[in-house]
């Protein structure tokens, strides 16, 4: 299998952490690509019509894309139990919360990076940050008992989302007023899978 990656992408990181946690990292060749909304890499566009990474190219079947699909496929392949039946809807909602944080956090970076300066909308950026902030509050108040339980895909996704906030939005200081979540992340960030996949610019 070949995985189209970038060292800065938090969605790619979800897949890499899953590969480590399910002991499949040696079964995938990673191919680093330069991919932006304005200039999708040809290999990415060929594998995923939406032009986004990660995409997983398989030799015997069509490419898979969207981190949620790839992670679920990898879990199924390894029978790793990252989507426990007894709390499946919570697990998927937690993953969706992480991906929602990431969509908003990545769009802020794109707004600043890919739009002409005079067209950058601070109001729009703050609207995106409000989504992040609301989701972080929900995690800190409503999701801590899940996060403090046995690891599933929700944990991996939230770990990657918080790692991305540290990487790209450090100045926003997401930990302030969210001690429970910050405490949980301090432990999760020390997992070997997280240490091995730290984002790079
Ligand atoms: N829902 C997708 C989001 C993937 C995504 O947004 N990837 C970014 C890199 S972090 C990308 O490839 N962006 C290029 C674009 O938006 O055209 C997933 O979970 O895989």
């Amino acid at each position: 299998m070949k995985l189209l990656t970038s060292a800065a992408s938090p969605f790619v990181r979800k897949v890499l952490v899953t590969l480590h946690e399910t002991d499949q990292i040696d079964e995938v060749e990673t191919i680093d690509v330069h991919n932006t909304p304005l200039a999708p890499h040809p290999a990415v566009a060929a594998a995923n019509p939406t032009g986004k990474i990660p995409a997983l190219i398989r030799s015997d079947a069509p490419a898979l894309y969207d981190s949620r699909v790839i992670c679920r496929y990898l879990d199924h392949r390894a029978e790793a139990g990252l989507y426990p039946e007894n709390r499946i809807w919570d697990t998927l909602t937690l993953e969706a919360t992480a991906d929602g944080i990431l969509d908003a956090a990545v769009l802020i970076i794109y707004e600043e990076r890919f739009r002409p300066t005079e067209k950058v909308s601070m109001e729009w950026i703050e609207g995106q940050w409000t989504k992040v902030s609301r989701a972080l509050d929900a995690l800190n108040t409503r999701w801590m008992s899940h996060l403090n339980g046995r690891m599933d895909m929700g944990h991996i996704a939230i770990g990657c989302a918080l790692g991305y906030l540290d990487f790209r939005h450090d100045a926003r200081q997401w930990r302030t007023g969210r001690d429970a979540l910050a405490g949980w992340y301090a432990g999760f960030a020390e997992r070997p899978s997280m240490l091995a996949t730290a984002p790079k610019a």
Side-chain angles (χ1 to χ4, degrees), residues 9-11 35-37 50-54 66-68 99 106 110:
S9 167
F11 295 103
N35 189 61
T36 76
T50 72
K52 297 184 182 186
I53 51 172
D66 198 288
S67 61
R68 274 189 246 190
D99 285 7
V106 167
Y110 286 172

Side-chain angles (χ1 to χ4, degrees), residues 85-136:
E85 210 39 61
N86 64 347
R87 54 176 197 278
I88 188 64
W89 303 116
D90 285 347
T91 300
L92 293 177
T93 302
L94 194 53
E95 184 178 15
T97 305
D99 285 7
I101 290 173
L102 286 176
D103 283 335
V106 167
L107 285 176
I108 292 173
I109 298 298
Y110 286 172
E111 177 76 3
E112 293 166 348
R113 193 171 288 173
F114 297 121
R115 278 169 69 84
T117 318
E118 69 279 8
K119 290 192 176 157
V120 170
S121 164
M122 291 314 294
E123 202 183 355
W124 191 87
I125 286 176
E126 288 313 311
Q128 295 302 324
W129 185 258
T130 300
K131 292 172 190 282
V132 175
S133 193
R134 213 165 35 220
L136 293 172

